Amino acid sequence: MCTGDCAKCLGGTLIPLALFGFLANILLFFPGGKVIDNNDYLSEEVWFFGGILGSGVLMIFPALVFLGLKNNDCCGCCGNESCGKRFAMFTSTIFAVIGFLGAGYSFVISAISINRGPKCLMDNSTWGYPFHNGDYLNDEALWSKCQQPADVVPWNLTLFSILLVIGGIQMLLCAIQVVNGLLGTLCGDCQCCGCCGGDGPV
């Protein structure tokens, strides 16, 4: 597969992942699927916008760049062979690093939130974090420590787990594009072979 085709494939995969991450983060503002009266009762990690910014906005731009690589002019800028496809592939590498950092941000926030557990109304009628070091993950009986909102534990656990998986996949795809982009920068795209009157890739 040519480097341009590979980048286009990666970009097409990142777009729906970014949308799913954005949606998952939005749903976290409605713990248990319900609207709460006070935003202070939301888990702190929700406000870090890991899915909206990290896996969402910061991923859309690299994805669009990857998708546009297939349409770049092999012969360079206005016939100048020193730029064009190679420069575009180099630029995609930079955007891939940005996407990797964004996905990594979402991944870390999700992991912290899963380990910490959700903020909820506890037995002592105060709002806080009743779980410690992910103890609730292996003992569902501890979930009863959260009185309100209803079903907040499985809700947060499911959505942050989705964000964790999405972030991991996005990091992998961006890492692949870093390698792909470097190969395209050094070797050119296979479909550019012989263009502009040259015998090799440009």
Side-chain angles (χ1 to χ4, degrees):
M1 179 183 290
C2 300
T3 54
D5 289 323
C6 180
K8 184 176 182 180
C9 179
L10 294 174
T13 305
L14 286 172
I15 291 292
L17 287 175
L19 294 177
F20 281 129
F22 193 95
L23 178 61
N25 201 149
I26 292 296
L27 291 175
L28 284 168
F29 284 95
F30 305 94
K34 302 175 181 64
V35 178
I36 60 174
D37 298 329
N38 191 336
N39 288 335
D40 291 337
Y41 297 157
L42 289 172
S43 299
E44 291 180 357
E45 292 79 15
V46 175
W47 295 103
F48 293 157
F49 302 110
I52 295 176
L53 294 179
S55 289
V57 175
L58 286 178
M59 196 57 59
I60 291 294
F61 294 111
L64 293 177
V65 170
F66 301 165
L67 288 172
L69 286 175
K70 193 69 175 60
N71 301 319
N72 275 293
D73 179 15
C74 290
C75 297
C77 309
C78 301
N80 183 0
E81 298 181 27
S82 64
C83 60
K85 180 65 73 174
R86 289 176 185 267
F87 180 77
M89 293 304 297
F90 175 74
T91 302
S92 76
T93 302
I94 298 176
F95 276 93
V97 172
I98 295 174
F100 183 91
L101 294 176
Y105 172 76
S106 178
F107 185 91
V108 170
I109 294 299
S110 300
I112 292 175
S113 182
I114 291 173
N115 183 67
R116 189 182 191 186
K119 187 176 186 179
C120 60
L121 181 64
M122 300 181 292
D123 296 332
N124 58 6
S125 298
T126 61
W127 288 81
Y129 300 88
F131 309 120
H132 304 282
N133 298 321
D135 54 357
Y136 73 103
L137 296 174
N138 298 318
D139 189 356
E140 192 171 330
L142 295 176
W143 294 9
S144 60
K145 289 183 177 182
C146 278
Q147 304 296 316
Q148 293 291 334
D151 300 321
V152 66
V153 178
W155 183 268
N156 269 38
L157 180 58
T158 299
L159 292 175
F160 273 115
S161 294
I162 290 174
L163 287 174
L164 187 75
V165 172
I166 289 177
I169 295 174
Q170 289 176 329
M171 290 171 66
L172 175 62
L173 295 179
C174 286
I176 292 174
Q177 178 53 29
V178 169
V179 177
N180 182 57
L182 290 176
L183 288 175
T185 302
L186 297 174
C187 305
D189 189 81
C190 63
Q191 292 185 357
C192 294
C193 295
C195 82
C196 298
D199 295 326
V202 291

